[in-house]
Amino acid sequence: MSVSDPAEQPLQDRVNNRSQRPTSEAFRSFMASQWAPADAPLPERDEVADFAARRRRAISDRFPGERLVIPAGPPKVRSNDTDYRFRPHSAFAHLTGLGLDHEPDAVLILEPVDEGTGDGGGHHSATLYFRPLAGRDTEQFYADARSGEFWVGARPTLAELEARLGIATAHIDGLEVAVTKGVGSPAIGGISIRLVRKVDENIDALVDTARYNTAQDQDTLDLSEFDALDEQLAEALSELRLIKDEWEAGQMREAIAATAAGFEEIVKALPRAVAHRRGERVVEGVFFAKAREVGNDLGYETIAAAGNNATVLHWIRNTGSVRDGDLLLVDAGVEAESLYTADVTRTVPVNGTFSEVQRRIYQAVLDAADAAFAAAKPGVKFRQVNAAAMEVLAARLEEWGILPVTAAEALSDSGQQHRRWMPHGTSHHLGLDVHDCAQARRELYLDGELAPGMAFTIEPGLYFKAEDLAVPEEYRGIGVRIEDDILMTTEGPVNLSAALPRTPDDVEAWVASLR
């Protein structure tokens, strides 16, 4: 068998066949020479650094004496050897202040120290383990398609990130020791680990192995005890995000302003959408262009739903046509470079004018949204916002003769018939994730009280499917949702997305002005 026989090439090396990279010593030597020196001064401290430090301190106070491991996550394969644009895990972004796409595989470790001697007087010292910029005299510089500067652009150095974030940094080569050293039962002087799981499989395996190898009795080891430790950390990190700090609120305002600009582009593109066989893709495309132009990306896949597609709650195929006389429901949000996202929905008449029945349905949804907003006050339970909207929708459905029972019967726990046409909740928390704080305990989320700093949506809707024989024919094929992003303050709720028209008259005037 010859050396060139493909059977001798290891499978994992075959991905490099397309590169056809020279391997001569002359090439390597030449590639390592004649590069301008990189003598840029260290960057200034990021505005977010002090806010992120306070968040780390809050988590440190929750888990003194334990090692906390928070991975950013690895790149995710899209197809063969191409990756999706990288987005770090939200818990990592929250505790470091790092957004964008330059920290794949990074891990934040909060190492326990003597009480009160850690960062900011806390119980831990934080270190960010990171793969820094490779020197131009290394093969990684030009040969590593995932982290080499020649392929993906410059990465920050350890010193640069430390200056920006105020967090000690270390090369990722030291990560394994940092995660596993001293792990064991606290009863015999070991260190307990808590991990944000299902972010990086390699880190999961590293922690699991360390726990297993240091267990006092491997035969009776109860892995569910470790799962509980990790779940409590995920819960605490999620609950920490229930109250947004001043910096976070500013980022959300930026994301929402960018989203409003994206909605204007959608309305301008309506004639082109009507003329295209897949007009929903035209709508999706113009919003995505604005998101990439002014932000980092979409906060989630855009719902661009015309006609009956608007009755599909998470319609993201966006393959339908946009027809004159239909309503167009668009649920979209721009993700800022900090990764905070907006989540806004507007429903507009494609031809610029609501029909009588469209306006009737739209006004009912708007009234429900306004009732929910009026109910949202500091100290009010989160679930009461939903209840206020449901009361309005049930009453309208009864007025129209659609409900098979009275509104009061429908609103009872044993009824709920109105939910056929409004099956989702009216509100969810919003922030780094479009459905933020998802691991928070029920008593702090649904049963929790609204407090200054909370950011959430108000998004009632009515959805009458074309095949729904329980409603009059004139209602069928119409879906309406109005969604706004709310910031609770000490004075009450503030609608951060109020710049986008909401009343039917204002929506019609808006469409006319942009067309």
Side-chain angles (χ1 to χ4, degrees):
M1 184 178 290
S2 68
V3 173
S4 62
D5 192 315
E8 288 195 356
Q9 185 185 32
L11 185 66
Q12 64 270 22
D13 290 346
R14 297 177 197 173
V15 69
N16 293 319
N17 287 338
R18 65 180 176 84
S19 299
Q20 302 181 48
R21 186 175 64 250
T23 58
S24 69
E25 187 56 43
F27 170 74
R28 291 173 179 157
S29 177
F30 187 53
M31 284 296 288
S33 67
Q34 302 181 62
W35 297 104
D39 294 329
L42 289 178
E44 295 182 0
R45 187 177 176 93
D46 286 358
E47 181 186 0
V48 69
D50 292 338
F51 292 96
R54 287 196 282 272
R55 300 167 200 161
R56 294 193 297 275
R57 172 62 196 272
I59 285 298
S60 176
D61 288 345
R62 286 286 303 272
F63 302 106
E66 299 182 84
R67 181 176 298 146
L68 310 181
V69 180
I70 302 97
K76 293 181 173 59
V77 174
R78 185 183 190 278
S79 172
N80 189 27
D81 59 345
T82 61
D83 297 329
Y84 288 101
R85 273 192 293 274
F86 178 73
R87 184 194 190 280
H89 189 272
S90 294
F92 176 91
H94 193 236
L95 294 184
T96 63
L98 277 172
L100 292 180
D101 60 354
H102 54 214
E103 65 279 356
D105 300 316
V107 178
L108 176 69
I109 294 183
L110 299 186
E111 182 67 18
V113 295
D114 290 340
E115 190 169 334
T117 66
D119 298 342
H123 318 298
H124 295 81
S125 60
T127 302
L128 180 61
Y129 287 83
F130 182 79
R131 181 175 289 106
L133 177 70
R136 288 172 178 159
D137 58 346
T138 66
E139 191 171 349
Q140 180 187 339
F141 165 61
Y142 62 85
D144 190 327
R146 274 195 162 178
S147 62
E149 182 179 353
F150 225 105
W151 291 87
V152 298
R155 302 171 65 88
T157 66
L158 297 176
E160 286 171 346
L161 269 193
E162 188 163 338
R164 284 181 49 197
L165 303 175
I167 305 175
T169 58
H171 198 288
I172 201 167
D173 289 350
L175 177 63
E176 182 173 353
V177 171
V179 170
T180 60
K181 65 182 178 183
V183 172
S185 170
I188 57 172
I191 294 176
S192 173
I193 298 183
R194 292 182 189 261
L195 166 69
V196 178
R197 298 191 70 86
K198 298 182 180 178
V199 178
D200 188 325
E201 291 182 356
N202 291 328
I203 305 301
D204 286 3
L206 189 62
V207 170
D208 289 343
T209 301
R211 285 168 166 171
Y212 180 79
N213 288 342
T214 58
Q216 291 178 267
D217 188 347
Q218 294 174 347
D219 292 333
T220 61
L221 183 63
D222 185 358
L223 295 178
S224 66
E225 293 181 7
F226 295 126
D227 291 340
L229 293 178
D230 297 338
E231 288 171 2
Q232 289 163 8
L233 175 60
E235 177 184 273
L237 290 169
S238 200
E239 292 173 357
L240 181 63
R241 305 210 310 261
L242 283 167
I243 304 294
K244 272 59 181 180
D245 57 39
E246 179 185 349
W247 185 86
E248 291 177 286
Q251 292 302 303
M252 297 194 66
R253 289 179 188 275
E254 287 186 19
I256 293 163
T259 299
F263 271 84
E264 289 196 353
E265 295 303 311
I266 288 172
V267 175
K268 292 176 186 176
L270 281 177
R272 184 157 63 89
V274 171
H276 197 284
R277 68 182 180 86
R278 292 202 296 183
E280 290 175 346
R281 288 285 173 92
V282 173
V283 172
E284 174 191 326
V286 296
F287 187 85
F288 178 66
K290 179 58 71 172
R292 289 291 288 166
E293 177 187 338
V294 300
N296 178 54
D297 210 315
L298 300 171
Y300 53 96
E301 292 298 322
T302 298
I303 297 169
N308 191 53
N309 289 342
T311 69
V312 181
L313 299 182
H314 285 173
W315 174 257
I316 58 173
R317 295 177 190 165
N318 301 337
T319 52
S321 57
V322 175
R323 299 184 179 89
D324 190 318
D326 280 346
L327 295 181
L328 171 69
L329 184 157
V330 180
D331 187 331
V334 172
E335 178 186 76
E337 291 191 354
S338 59
L339 305 184
Y340 287 81
T341 186
D343 181 9
V344 177
T345 306
R346 288 294 184 266
T347 306
V348 300
V350 173
N351 62 13
T353 305
F354 290 99
S355 71
E356 188 276 331
V357 69
Q358 288 171 348
R359 179 179 277 260
R360 183 189 314 156
I361 296 168
Y362 186 98
Q363 188 64 54
V365 173
L366 179 62
D367 291 345
D370 288 346
F373 186 82
K377 305 291 182 186
V380 168
K381 286 188 180 294
F382 191 76
R383 63 169 60 254
Q384 290 177 251
V385 177
N386 181 74
M390 291 299 178
E391 287 180 11
V392 172
L393 295 179
R396 296 302 169 84
L397 290 165
E398 181 183 28
E399 279 178 35
W400 300 338
I402 292 175
L403 267 183
V405 296
T406 66
E409 289 175 276
L411 290 166
S412 68
D413 290 341
S414 60
Q416 300 296 302
Q417 290 90 340
H418 62 294
R419 298 300 297 274
R420 175 182 177 122
W421 302 288
M422 169 56 184
H424 60 81
T426 302
S427 299
H428 60 78
H429 282 272
L430 182 65
L432 277 165
D433 294 335
V434 66
H435 299 146
D436 210 29
C437 314
Q439 283 76 46
R441 286 167 290 174
R442 184 184 186 92
E443 58 263 33
L444 295 181
Y445 199 127
L446 281 178
D447 294 327
E449 293 183 354
L450 294 173
M454 286 185 171
F456 55 94
T457 65
I458 291 179
E459 51 177 311
L462 284 172
Y463 312 94
F464 301 107
K465 292 185 176 295
E467 61 273 22
D468 188 350
L469 302 183
V471 300
E473 186 174 358
E474 62 180 349
Y475 288 83
R476 296 175 198 166
I478 298 176
V480 173
R481 180 162 66 250
I482 304 168
E483 178 181 20
D484 285 294
D485 297 344
I486 312 301
L487 178 67
M488 185 57 70
T489 72
T490 54
E491 289 76 34
V494 175
N495 185 349
L496 300 182
S497 49
L500 282 171
R502 299 175 71 252
T503 71
D505 288 345
D506 286 347
V507 169
E508 289 179 344
W510 179 52
V511 174
S513 70
L514 292 174
R515 292 179 68 169

